[in-house]
Amino acid sequence: MSSSWNSVGLEVLYQVLGWVAFFAWSFSFYPQVILNYKRKSVVGLNFDFLVLNFTKHSSYLIYNAAMFFSPFIQRQYHEKYGDKEMIPVAANDVAFSLHAVALTAFTVFQVFIYERGIQKVSKVCISITAIVWTAAIVCLIIAWPKSDWLWLIDVFNSIQVGMTAIKYIPQAIMNFRRKSTIGWSIGNILLDLTGGVLNFGQMGVQSIDQLTLVNFYGNIGKTLLSLETVFFDVLFIIQHYVLYPAKKDENGKAIISERVAPLIRPSDKPEEDSV
């Protein structure tokens, strides 16, 4: 039997932080979608990031849904960490994962219908994605005979941690090479950062109530997800506001310099950086 909350106030705070993080993270997908729609272009949005992001969120959905809904996996978790430990996945985690997969898939769809210049998914990204899903299938085959489902979903949790660590790198490199963040929504980053901080705070509240750090390492993926998110979001904020601030004309439209030309065909028109 899982442990119950010792403090009603902390339980309420836990739920509030979790759902505010859910809305912040969920809304973080929309500025990029809206920016793509307004510009009718995905130039400046790194396609490797999208593919890796879809793999990350799909893996995280598998972990969250399995941990939250499966009594068998919950029993295996309690056998490993103790009967009194609370399940480290909340309803908001499952809701976020479902929404994230759907919105990432929609953003991929935008790539096919909007101007994308000469951008394409790199062979390195394709190789990484193929290796990750092949490894996941192998782990499924290994886990099946012993019904070691907790170990299997921990594998998917590890995949999402790894994907989070590397998915931002192509976009950061692209911003560096272009000396610009035009086409990459800062609204996305600010909301993403808010979600990461609140998500970590939610875990802290649970630890304070239970007087244990088990939920931090019992769901190490969620812990590392928050830390990785904060690190890269701060990097993007520095790129956007400090290193490569967009120059605007008298109408408030972003002026694209020649340094972004390699990613844009000569026929492309200047885009607005309004999201």
Side-chain angles (χ1 to χ4, degrees):
M1 193 72 171
S2 62
S3 175
S4 59
W5 285 89
N6 296 315
S7 168
V8 175
L10 288 177
E11 180 180 8
V12 172
L13 180 59
Y14 174 86
Q15 294 295 338
V16 170
L17 289 176
W19 284 107
V20 174
F22 161 74
F23 284 112
W25 263 343
S26 296
F27 289 152
S28 72
F29 290 90
Y30 289 95
Q32 187 67 58
V33 170
I34 295 171
L35 181 60
N36 295 343
Y37 171 76
K38 287 183 175 181
R39 298 169 66 232
K40 297 297 186 291
S41 170
V42 291
V43 172
L45 173 61
N46 190 274
F47 297 168
D48 287 3
F49 167 79
L50 283 179
V51 173
L52 297 172
N53 203 29
F54 186 78
T55 299
K56 171 257 191 292
H57 286 304
S58 298
S59 302
Y60 199 36
L61 173 60
I62 292 172
Y63 172 82
N64 284 330
M67 179 67 81
F68 188 78
F69 290 112
S70 172
F72 185 79
I73 293 178
Q74 291 176 2
R75 185 165 63 250
Q76 289 185 337
Y77 180 87
H78 288 139
E79 289 173 354
K80 181 176 182 179
Y81 295 107
D83 292 339
K84 295 183 178 181
E85 296 301 329
M86 299 178 69
I87 297 300
V89 173
N92 63 272
D93 295 318
V94 181
F96 165 72
S97 294
L98 282 168
H99 183 269
V101 170
L103 263 293
T104 304
F106 183 78
T107 308
V108 172
F109 170 72
Q110 289 185 311
V111 169
F112 290 97
I113 63 175
Y114 293 143
E115 172 60 41
R116 57 181 179 273
I118 60 173
Q119 293 175 229
K120 60 182 179 180
V121 180
S122 71
K123 293 181 180 179
V124 173
C125 177
I126 294 174
S127 299
I128 291 175
T129 303
I131 291 172
V132 165
W133 286 111
T134 299
I137 293 173
V138 171
C139 290
L140 172 62
I141 295 173
I142 294 174
W144 194 291
K146 298 181 180 179
S147 296
D148 197 355
W149 304 122
L150 179 63
W151 172 78
L152 179 62
I153 67 167
D154 280 341
V155 169
F156 282 101
N157 204 10
S158 298
I159 289 175
Q160 74 91 8
V161 171
M163 291 296 100
T164 301
I166 67 175
K167 73 174 186 176
Y168 292 111
I169 295 176
Q171 185 69 55
I173 293 175
M174 175 183 281
N175 293 344
F176 170 75
R177 288 176 175 172
R178 300 171 70 218
K179 299 298 184 292
S180 171
T181 59
I182 292 176
W184 171 244
S185 174
I186 191 61
N188 172 6
I189 297 305
L190 296 176
L191 288 168
D192 194 43
L193 176 61
T194 301
V197 172
L198 293 177
N199 191 57
F200 195 79
Q202 184 189 33
M203 299 181 73
V205 168
Q206 182 175 332
S207 292
I208 292 172
D209 181 83
Q210 300 294 302
L211 299 178
T212 177
L213 296 176
V214 168
N215 68 302
F216 278 102
Y217 59 80
N219 188 357
I220 190 65
K222 187 174 181 179
T223 303
L224 293 178
L225 169 63
S226 298
L227 295 175
E228 291 169 341
T229 296
V230 170
F231 173 80
F232 279 103
D233 286 345
V234 169
L235 172 62
F236 284 124
I237 288 173
I238 292 174
Q239 285 186 321
H240 184 82
Y241 290 110
V242 180
L243 299 179
Y244 320 124
K247 296 180 180 179
K248 308 217 175 202
D249 60 20
E250 63 275 9
N251 296 319
K253 294 182 179 180
I255 301 174
I256 301 177
S257 67
E258 294 181 357
R259 287 175 293 184
V260 304
L263 293 178
I264 306 175
R265 294 186 182 124
S267 60
D268 287 347
K269 298 179 181 180
E271 303 99 348
E272 296 183 10
D273 186 22
S274 58
V275 178

